[in-house]
Amino acid sequence: MKFEVTILGSSSATPIYNRNPTSQVLNINERLYLVDCGEGTQQQMLRFDVRGSRIDHIFISHLHGDHYLGLIGLLSSLHLNGRKKALKLFGPSQLKEIIDLQFKYSETTLQYELDFFATDSTQSQVIVINDDVTIETIPLDHRIPCNGFLFREKKRLRKLLKDELERIGVPIELYTSLKKGADYTDPKGKLYKNDTLTTDSDKPKTYAYCSDTLFNPQYFKQMLDRANETHHTTALQAAEIAVTVNAKRLLIGHFSARYKSLDDLLEEAQSVFPNTALAIEGKTFVV
Ligand SMILES: [Zn+2]
């Protein structure tokens, strides 16, 4: 099953030339999930061929402008482009008020249903369950209510040992139940346990999007630099978290305009967690 993330923007605070504020799009089994929608996200979608009509879920981590100022424009364009399909939007409760106000004064009545779900930054919640994934919020420690989002692939079906099934002569119409774990009894009454006919499925993949957060301030007191003042983690701290949670891979983003080159950040994170990559715009990472 396809499970990949494309970076649309990875700058923090203000856009700079050739770098846009935060936004990412996940493609999970050909369904698109947009995570944050900084200013300029629509342009980035055009640039990297991400069609808005294919997005049915949008997640906004928090209400700092670099994470959502592109949202109203995107919602408007979907309306102007004739969208009829409902769109689910997840974000802090005040986001609804902001959107309602903007559409009120532009006298816009959306042609599609906008289903808003207010996230809670005090506890984790499961906010989406479908055939492909479960999506949960990750409450983060930021100056204003903020959530990350955890995308967890649904447990996959067991893998068939085709040669063995053919040798025994298991009817093809039973394959689906075998994948779900059923045993097989042949016409003579001989029982075949499921684990002799199938193997374990691949482990479900997960992707955790953690936007702005402060990490373990006591431990990182020696690093009281601008990152702490602005309630962000440094690249090093992000790497530290990746080690703690046993991650396979780390993408670092939300780059400050102060950094002309990002190589130092990458090296810093890699010194702690080698499998770190830069969330460069336009790059797609397979989870
Ligand atoms: Zn922020």
mmCIF file of all heavy atoms in Angstrom, residues 61-67 142-144 146 211-213 230-232 254, ligand 1:
data_model
loop_
_atom_site.group_PDB
_atom_site.id
_atom_site.type_symbol
_atom_site.label_atom_id
_atom_site.label_comp_id
_atom_site.label_asym_id
_atom_site.label_seq_id
_atom_site.Cartn_x
_atom_site.Cartn_y
_atom_site.Cartn_z
ATOM 1 N N SER A 61 -2.239 22.072 12.739
ATOM 2 C CA SER A 61 -1.636 21.792 14.046
ATOM 3 C C SER A 61 -1.948 22.882 15.062
ATOM 4 O O SER A 61 -2.292 22.601 16.199
ATOM 5 C CB SER A 61 -0.119 21.622 13.900
ATOM 6 O OG SER A 61 0.469 22.812 13.412
ATOM 7 N N HIS A 62 -1.812 24.151 14.644
ATOM 8 C CA HIS A 62 -2.061 25.255 15.568
ATOM 9 C C HIS A 62 -2.216 26.544 14.784
ATOM 10 O O HIS A 62 -2.046 26.559 13.558
ATOM 11 C CB HIS A 62 -0.961 25.350 16.625
ATOM 12 C CG HIS A 62 0.398 25.716 16.096
ATOM 13 N ND1 HIS A 62 1.082 24.942 15.185
ATOM 14 C CD2 HIS A 62 1.204 26.778 16.384
ATOM 15 C CE1 HIS A 62 2.253 25.513 14.933
ATOM 16 N NE2 HIS A 62 2.349 26.631 15.642
ATOM 17 N N LEU A 63 -2.547 27.613 15.498
ATOM 18 C CA LEU A 63 -2.958 28.834 14.809
ATOM 19 C C LEU A 63 -1.861 29.892 14.691
ATOM 20 O O LEU A 63 -2.156 31.074 14.582
ATOM 21 C CB LEU A 63 -4.221 29.407 15.470
ATOM 22 C CG LEU A 63 -5.446 28.492 15.321
ATOM 23 C CD1 LEU A 63 -6.667 29.124 15.976
ATOM 24 C CD2 LEU A 63 -5.731 28.182 13.851
ATOM 25 N N HIS A 64 -0.616 29.491 14.671
ATOM 26 C CA HIS A 64 0.419 30.427 14.233
ATOM 27 C C HIS A 64 0.344 30.477 12.710
ATOM 28 O O HIS A 64 0.173 29.449 12.044
ATOM 29 C CB HIS A 64 1.804 29.981 14.715
ATOM 30 C CG HIS A 64 2.048 30.298 16.161
ATOM 31 N ND1 HIS A 64 2.868 29.551 16.967
ATOM 32 C CD2 HIS A 64 1.553 31.313 16.932
ATOM 33 C CE1 HIS A 64 2.875 30.079 18.191
ATOM 34 N NE2 HIS A 64 2.088 31.143 18.192
ATOM 35 N N GLY A 65 0.476 31.706 12.188
ATOM 36 C CA GLY A 65 0.211 31.927 10.768
ATOM 37 C C GLY A 65 0.984 31.030 9.822
ATOM 38 O O GLY A 65 0.474 30.655 8.757
ATOM 39 N N ASP A 66 2.202 30.683 10.196
ATOM 40 C CA ASP A 66 3.012 29.884 9.263
ATOM 41 C C ASP A 66 2.477 28.473 9.092
ATOM 42 O O ASP A 66 3.005 27.691 8.305
ATOM 43 C CB ASP A 66 4.500 29.869 9.692
ATOM 44 C CG ASP A 66 4.725 29.494 11.144
ATOM 45 O OD1 ASP A 66 3.772 29.604 11.937
ATOM 46 O OD2 ASP A 66 5.849 29.087 11.483
ATOM 47 N N HIS A 67 1.404 28.145 9.825
ATOM 48 C CA HIS A 67 0.825 26.798 9.702
ATOM 49 C C HIS A 67 -0.572 26.797 9.083
ATOM 50 O O HIS A 67 -1.097 25.744 8.767
ATOM 51 C CB HIS A 67 0.786 26.111 11.070
ATOM 52 C CG HIS A 67 2.157 25.807 11.588
ATOM 53 N ND1 HIS A 67 2.726 24.557 11.492
ATOM 54 C CD2 HIS A 67 3.105 26.603 12.142
ATOM 55 C CE1 HIS A 67 3.950 24.593 11.995
ATOM 56 N NE2 HIS A 67 4.207 25.823 12.390
ATOM 57 N N HIS A 142 3.599 23.892 23.186
ATOM 58 C CA HIS A 142 3.920 25.088 22.424
ATOM 59 C C HIS A 142 3.280 26.277 23.139
ATOM 60 O O HIS A 142 2.575 26.099 24.117
ATOM 61 C CB HIS A 142 3.380 24.900 21.001
ATOM 62 C CG HIS A 142 3.957 25.817 19.982
ATOM 63 N ND1 HIS A 142 5.252 26.218 19.968
ATOM 64 C CD2 HIS A 142 3.374 26.419 18.903
ATOM 65 C CE1 HIS A 142 5.455 27.021 18.943
ATOM 66 N NE2 HIS A 142 4.333 27.166 18.285
ATOM 67 N N ARG A 143 3.508 27.483 22.645
ATOM 68 C CA ARG A 143 2.961 28.636 23.351
ATOM 69 C C ARG A 143 1.433 28.695 23.307
ATOM 70 O O ARG A 143 0.786 29.220 24.186
ATOM 71 C CB ARG A 143 3.532 29.928 22.750
ATOM 72 C CG ARG A 143 4.873 30.310 23.326
ATOM 73 C CD ARG A 143 5.471 31.434 22.538
ATOM 74 N NE ARG A 143 5.737 30.992 21.167
ATOM 75 C CZ ARG A 143 5.882 31.799 20.127
ATOM 76 N NH1 ARG A 143 5.782 33.083 20.287
ATOM 77 N NH2 ARG A 143 6.150 31.316 18.934
ATOM 78 N N ILE A 144 0.870 28.192 22.198
ATOM 79 C CA ILE A 144 -0.589 28.165 22.081
ATOM 80 C C ILE A 144 -0.982 26.708 21.821
ATOM 81 O O ILE A 144 -0.123 25.888 21.467
ATOM 82 C CB ILE A 144 -1.090 29.078 20.923
ATOM 83 C CG1 ILE A 144 -0.450 28.674 19.596
ATOM 84 C CG2 ILE A 144 -0.811 30.543 21.240
ATOM 85 C CD1 ILE A 144 -1.042 29.408 18.393
ATOM 86 N N CYS A 146 -1.568 23.232 20.517
ATOM 87 C CA CYS A 146 -0.894 22.690 19.334
ATOM 88 C C CYS A 146 -0.927 21.164 19.362
ATOM 89 O O CYS A 146 -0.725 20.554 20.411
ATOM 90 C CB CYS A 146 0.559 23.186 19.327
ATOM 91 S SG CYS A 146 1.508 22.699 17.883
ATOM 92 N N SER A 211 4.853 19.166 14.852
ATOM 93 C CA SER A 211 5.255 20.525 14.473
ATOM 94 C C SER A 211 5.844 21.192 15.695
ATOM 95 O O SER A 211 6.590 20.569 16.435
ATOM 96 C CB SER A 211 4.078 21.287 13.880
ATOM 97 O OG SER A 211 3.065 21.426 14.841
ATOM 98 N N ASP A 212 5.494 22.415 15.929
ATOM 99 C CA ASP A 212 6.192 23.193 16.944
ATOM 100 C C ASP A 212 6.004 22.627 18.340
ATOM 101 O O ASP A 212 4.882 22.486 18.817
ATOM 102 C CB ASP A 212 5.681 24.634 16.904
ATOM 103 C CG ASP A 212 5.734 25.209 15.501
ATOM 104 O OD1 ASP A 212 5.968 24.430 14.561
ATOM 105 O OD2 ASP A 212 5.543 26.415 15.346
ATOM 106 N N THR A 213 7.099 22.352 18.998
ATOM 107 C CA THR A 213 7.015 21.871 20.365
ATOM 108 C C THR A 213 8.324 22.118 21.095
ATOM 109 O O THR A 213 9.393 22.206 20.494
ATOM 110 C CB THR A 213 6.661 20.372 20.412
ATOM 111 O OG1 THR A 213 6.424 19.988 21.765
ATOM 112 C CG2 THR A 213 7.773 19.497 19.854
ATOM 113 N N THR A 230 11.436 30.496 21.393
ATOM 114 C CA THR A 230 10.298 30.438 20.478
ATOM 115 C C THR A 230 9.532 29.128 20.591
ATOM 116 O O THR A 230 8.670 28.838 19.795
ATOM 117 C CB THR A 230 10.768 30.614 19.016
ATOM 118 O OG1 THR A 230 11.710 29.578 18.728
ATOM 119 C CG2 THR A 230 11.388 31.957 18.771
ATOM 120 N N HIS A 231 9.870 28.336 21.588
ATOM 121 C CA HIS A 231 9.177 27.071 21.821
ATOM 122 C C HIS A 231 9.283 26.113 20.634
ATOM 123 O O HIS A 231 8.298 25.558 20.179
ATOM 124 C CB HIS A 231 7.707 27.294 22.200
ATOM 125 C CG HIS A 231 7.537 27.765 23.602
ATOM 126 N ND1 HIS A 231 6.660 27.194 24.479
ATOM 127 C CD2 HIS A 231 8.159 28.745 24.290
ATOM 128 C CE1 HIS A 231 6.741 27.820 25.650
ATOM 129 N NE2 HIS A 231 7.643 28.760 25.552
ATOM 130 N N HIS A 232 10.471 25.967 20.135
ATOM 131 C CA HIS A 232 10.726 24.988 19.090
ATOM 132 C C HIS A 232 11.805 24.028 19.571
ATOM 133 O O HIS A 232 12.588 24.363 20.452
ATOM 134 C CB HIS A 232 11.224 25.683 17.818
ATOM 135 C CG HIS A 232 10.173 26.470 17.137
ATOM 136 N ND1 HIS A 232 10.351 27.771 16.718
ATOM 137 C CD2 HIS A 232 8.918 26.152 16.798
ATOM 138 C CE1 HIS A 232 9.247 28.217 16.168
ATOM 139 N NE2 HIS A 232 8.354 27.250 16.201
ATOM 140 N N HIS A 254 10.746 22.985 9.215
ATOM 141 C CA HIS A 254 10.422 24.195 9.937
ATOM 142 C C HIS A 254 11.689 25.020 10.131
ATOM 143 O O HIS A 254 12.028 25.474 11.225
ATOM 144 C CB HIS A 254 9.802 23.834 11.302
ATOM 145 C CG HIS A 254 8.854 24.894 11.789
ATOM 146 N ND1 HIS A 254 9.184 25.763 12.786
ATOM 147 C CD2 HIS A 254 7.601 25.212 11.416
ATOM 148 C CE1 HIS A 254 8.161 26.578 13.006
ATOM 149 N NE2 HIS A 254 7.198 26.259 12.192
HETATM 150 ZN ZN ZN B 1 4.117 27.811 16.164
#
